Amino acid sequence: MAGGISLDTIANKVENGDRLSLDEGVYLYQDDVPLNEVAALANLVRERKNGNFGYYNINTHLNATNICVYRCNFCAFRADLREPRGYVMSDEQIVARGQEAVDNGCTEMHIVGGLHHQKKYEWYVNCLRILHDAFPTLHLKGWTAVEINWFEFLTKKPVEEVLTDLLDAGLGSMPGGGAEIFHREVRDQICEHKANSNKWFEVHGTAHKLGIKTNATMLYGHIENAFHRIDHLIRLREQQDLTGGFQTFIPLAFHPDNTKLAAMRNLKKPSVLMDLRTMAISRLMLDNFDHIKAYWIMLGIETAQTALAYGADDIDGTVRHELIYHDAGATTPEVLSVEDIRRLISETGREPVERDTLYRRVERDPANPSAWSVGEQVAVGG
Ligand code: V47
Ligand code: SF4
């Protein structure tokens, strides 16, 4: 027990639906606070909000370039212009990726990449436009707050105008990347040049005001401590109170291979116990987020499955063409079949539910599984 905080007082608050404080969040990170009990509390909240559902979607990734002006030292994906591994996709390759997605029944394309200093704003907008024109039912979840901030710099337009342009070109929603760790003590050491936390929140707040749903992430397991993580979650919770447009929180475990950060600080991957504790604490702190995602590509299949009992209700999608984690040493498969992903969820005792990006049920004709239609919004409890 520290400063009047105990697992019992926290359990009472969770059972009553009361909000946990910063000190309580930090307390839950102590090794001697039994993880199974933290998990049971997170599971209570998870089942209150999402019952027994385990969500997944059928999706693909598009990283149109890996050339990036920034040098985040945790990133193994970026390349310089002259490096042999640097690439930029042509319009034809981008559209071919869309065609492949549609042929495989994807409902969503997740689009992020490097910030290529020789590409104009129009090139990025055009990526969305050519995909949306050719495949209007494919939901484009694209560009992080860091990219929007780069577009702001390129065009000198305010965030709202940039987002309006992107909506006009076919943007459906925004992923949660670029959040990393908001606290300056850490952010200044891992990605000091890119959008700061105020900008990240300004972009998401503006998106929410325009009706664009967004996600949020946290990159953990490197040089941050429990205080930085809980501070990060509380900032997200406060933004959600204000603008309400976050759908899903995704804790991202640091993958050290091929990164400067790991070499400089001799860092290893966070342990499975750390992954599960972070999942559970995220569920407990973010009382106003409907969904917590266990991103299987990053966690590994076994941990993602386990996480469905530690607060997570979603394991992301079948995922094709993921690069960011595979460049940083992920050994997960490149893609999962629908059968595999459904089995992975059923094995945990949960009911697999295919959702679209906006958490509506997806209905498929068994005779023609690449054709689909959108059903009801999945019900989310308190
Ligand atoms: O912001 C980069 C992270 C993020 C590494 O919204 C790394 O549904 C660990 O945001 N080790 C981009 N993490 C990916 C992202 C995402 C992923 C899945 C789903 C969603 C969603 C969003 O990837 C970056 C950064 O935090 N990242 N390098 C690394 N070596
Ligand atoms: Fe560039 Fe994104 Fe990698 Fe940072 S994380 S170096 S912004 S690609």
Side-chain angles (χ1 to χ4, degrees):
M1 174 135 125
I5 300 173
S6 70
L7 202 47
D8 281 348
T9 59
I10 292 177
N12 271 335
K13 285 179 91 172
V14 173
E15 278 152 21
N16 293 331
D18 293 338
R19 191 161 263 199
L20 301 185
S21 68
L22 187 131
D23 287 346
E24 287 165 333
V26 172
Y27 173 87
L28 290 174
Y29 262 114
Q30 294 181 169
D31 286 343
D32 59 359
V33 175
L35 179 55
N36 60 330
E37 294 185 35
V38 182
L41 292 177
N43 195 48
L44 180 75
V45 179
R46 179 251 193 261
E47 291 188 354
R48 237 185 236 154
K49 286 187 181 283
N50 289 290
N52 202 34
F53 297 149
Y55 307 110
Y56 69 97
N57 70 350
I58 301 189
N59 65 346
T60 187
H61 285 212
L62 177 80
N63 308 124
T65 179
N66 63 350
I67 293 166
C68 188
V69 287
Y70 294 122
R71 291 175 179 276
C72 306
N73 58 15
F74 55 80
C75 177
F77 163 74
R78 76 164 297 284
D80 284 327
L81 192 58
R82 282 175 197 80
E83 265 183 79
R85 56 182 293 281
Y87 70 84
V88 181
M89 289 171 73
S90 66
D91 286 4
E92 291 70 30
Q93 287 171 315
I94 291 170
V95 172
R97 217 29 110 62
Q99 187 65 58
E100 180 196 48
V102 168
D103 291 345
N104 284 285
C106 291
T107 58
E108 171 191 284
M109 184 179 264
H110 171 124
I111 307 173
V112 291
L115 292 323
H116 191 312
H117 57 292
Q118 291 180 346
K119 290 289 173 198
K120 296 204 162 81
Y121 174 57
E122 289 69 27
W123 180 75
Y124 296 90
V125 179
N126 186 53
C127 285
L128 294 177
R129 198 178 298 286
I130 56 180
L131 284 164
H132 185 63
D133 285 351
F135 314 106
T137 58
L138 183 66
H139 181 106
L140 304 178
K141 181 179 80 176
W143 310 134
T144 68
V146 172
E147 283 149 327
I148 304 301
N149 178 228
W150 178 249
F151 302 157
E152 205 187 344
F153 166 78
L154 289 179
T155 59
K156 312 290 176 246
K157 291 183 184 184
V159 170
E160 185 162 341
E161 253 183 72
V162 170
L163 290 175
T164 307
D165 289 347
L166 299 180
L167 273 177
D168 178 59
L171 183 76
S173 66
M174 285 171 57
E180 322 314 358
I181 287 285
F182 294 131
H183 201 291
R184 280 196 63 176
E185 278 169 15
V186 175
R187 200 171 184 88
D188 287 354
Q189 295 187 61
I190 61 173
C191 56
E192 66 172 332
H193 298 297
K194 76 180 185 189
N196 65 21
S197 56
N198 287 343
K199 180 56 72 179
W200 194 94
F201 280 109
E202 183 199 332
V203 170
H204 282 262
T206 309
H208 297 171
K209 204 178 89 190
L210 293 173
I212 303 171
K213 294 287 185 192
T214 73
N215 290 341
T217 59
M218 172 173 77
L219 176 66
Y220 69 90
H222 44 93
I223 58 170
E224 90 294 351
N225 61 32
F227 162 75
H228 299 124
R229 280 176 232 128
I230 301 296
D231 170 75
H232 188 95
L233 297 174
I234 289 180
R235 292 188 204 208
L236 288 170
R237 188 169 78 182
E238 286 173 354
Q239 181 68 47
Q240 182 76 326
D241 280 343
L242 292 175
T243 52
F246 289 119
Q247 296 200 112
T248 307
F249 175 71
I250 309 122
L252 296 172
F254 175 54
H255 273 243
D257 290 7
N258 310 318
T259 70
K260 279 205 191 89
L261 183 59
M264 278 167 11
R265 305 293 186 103
N266 192 24
L267 298 173
K268 306 266 175 298
K269 236 175 111 170
S271 69
V272 172
L273 294 183
M274 172 66 166
D275 292 336
L276 294 174
R277 194 178 284 270
T278 299
M279 195 66 68
I281 294 175
S282 303
R283 179 61 287 171
L284 291 171
M285 295 305 297
L286 295 175
D287 57 359
N288 53 5
F289 275 60
D290 289 342
H291 302 288
I292 305 286
K293 189 187 282 185
Y295 184 38
W296 67 265
I297 288 268
M298 170 274 289
L299 289 171
I301 289 170
E302 294 81 2
T303 308
Q305 273 190 308
T306 313
L308 291 177
Y310 283 70
D313 54 273
D314 190 305
I315 57 169
D316 202 78
T318 45
V319 186
R320 264 162 212 278
H321 302 296
E322 199 288 330
L323 288 178
I324 295 176
Y325 283 88
H326 287 98
D327 285 350
T331 53
T332 40
E334 299 280 333
V335 60
L336 281 181
S337 67
V338 174
E339 204 182 21
D340 282 344
I341 209 160
R342 290 185 70 88
R343 184 171 35 78
L344 200 149
I345 296 169
S346 311
E347 278 174 0
T348 70
R350 303 292 187 192
E351 179 191 336
V353 173
E354 185 187 344
R355 58 153 181 98
D356 73 350
T357 312
L358 303 175
Y359 287 86
R360 293 169 301 191
R361 275 178 185 274
V362 172
E363 324 276 1
R364 289 190 189 260
D365 173 0
N368 179 16
S370 63
W372 53 275
S373 63
V374 167
E376 299 274 287
Q377 186 84 39
V378 290
V380 173

